[in-house]
Amino acid sequence: MLQLAPQLLCGLAEKALAEIIAMDPAAAARLQRLAGRQLAFQLSEFDWRLVLTATPNSLLLNLHHEAVDCAIRSDLASLKQLRDPNQLTHLIKKDAVQIDGDIQVAQQFSSFFQQLQPDWQVRTAQYLGDGLTHKLNRLLHQLTKLIQQKQQALQHMSLELAQDELQLTPNRLEVEQFSAEVSQLHARLERLQHQLKPWQE
């Protein structure tokens, strides 16, 4: 029964993925360019290896250890850092991520998912109606904006706390004053070197 659980999850994830892809009209053309390629992904915490197979019409999810175009091995901790593409080289150097095969295939799959833009509003309208969906969409937009404002306020507060209360980082005026003092010191050093030059000769 335990062995069937991952296969069942793959089936459910594959069905959900197919619905999401269907909600993006531009996804079909990008999927055809990806057709025939396979990407395997394995986490060190699990025994099974997830394989994504692109067909002209869908993405299939399977569990197997057969040869693929590209295979990525990592762990859960490093997986979070993989969201930042700039971290990839660093993670590879410290062996937190191992990539076997054609890395361009991994980049093509990544690009496909990043460009995926499902039209949730159309699908939601089928169940809730146009009016309620529009209100829900507006509410989500306002909520997202509010969260972004709160995040910016929190970052601003953290910066002020670090600068003013804890004095961990200098503020702008302190940086400018320090820069001016360095410039003055440099000018004095140049004058001193000029005065000492006759003695050196």
Side-chain angles (χ1 to χ4, degrees):
M1 182 66 181
L2 288 174
Q3 292 179 351
L4 292 175
Q7 291 286 358
L8 180 62
L9 289 173
C10 276
L12 292 172
E14 186 177 297
K15 186 176 179 182
L17 193 55
E19 289 186 14
I20 292 170
I21 292 170
M23 284 189 267
D24 182 356
R30 296 196 307 271
L31 192 57
Q32 286 181 353
R33 291 194 293 269
L34 198 59
R37 293 174 177 81
Q38 286 188 314
L39 174 68
F41 196 85
Q42 183 169 5
L43 293 173
S44 57
E45 290 86 356
F46 301 98
D47 293 331
W48 42 269
R49 186 175 78 154
L50 178 67
V51 178
L52 277 168
T53 304
T55 73
N57 304 312
S58 63
L59 283 175
L60 307 178
L61 278 73
N62 293 295
L63 300 172
H64 64 73
H65 290 273
E66 296 173 13
V68 293
D69 297 304
C70 182
I72 299 174
R73 287 188 302 277
S74 185
D75 54 53
L76 284 170
S78 302
L79 189 62
K80 294 177 183 177
Q81 298 179 54
L82 273 176
R83 287 181 292 185
D84 180 5
N86 298 324
Q87 292 291 323
L88 182 60
T89 304
H90 171 70
L91 291 170
I92 291 173
K93 284 182 179 177
K94 69 173 194 175
D95 286 333
V97 173
Q98 292 91 40
I99 299 177
D100 297 321
D102 188 354
I103 194 170
Q104 287 187 350
V105 171
Q107 291 170 340
Q108 288 167 351
F109 272 95
S110 175
S111 177
F112 175 80
F113 284 113
Q114 285 175 3
Q115 293 176 31
L116 201 57
Q117 294 181 345
D119 190 347
W120 298 102
Q121 197 167 346
V122 171
R123 182 58 60 95
T124 308
Q126 293 175 357
Y127 300 101
L128 302 178
D130 291 335
L132 188 56
T133 298
H134 179 70
K135 289 179 182 177
L136 182 62
N137 190 52
R138 191 172 60 193
L139 179 64
L140 288 172
H141 180 72
Q142 291 171 348
L143 184 61
T144 303
K145 193 174 180 180
L146 180 64
I147 290 171
Q148 289 173 346
Q149 289 172 349
K150 294 295 182 186
Q151 284 179 333
Q152 288 173 355
L154 182 61
Q155 287 173 352
H156 184 68
M157 242 172 30
S158 301
L159 183 61
E160 284 186 346
L161 178 66
Q163 289 178 340
D164 301 334
E165 300 299 328
L166 302 177
Q167 296 182 345
L168 296 176
T169 59
N171 59 37
R172 186 175 57 82
L173 291 175
E174 289 173 331
V175 171
E176 288 176 359
Q177 183 180 353
F178 178 74
S179 178
E181 289 175 357
V182 169
S183 297
Q184 290 172 3
L185 183 61
H186 185 262
R188 287 173 57 190
L189 182 61
E190 283 188 338
R191 283 197 302 269
L192 185 61
Q193 285 177 335
H194 184 70
Q195 290 171 358
L196 290 174
K197 193 173 182 181
W199 297 96
Q200 291 173 344
E201 294 173 352

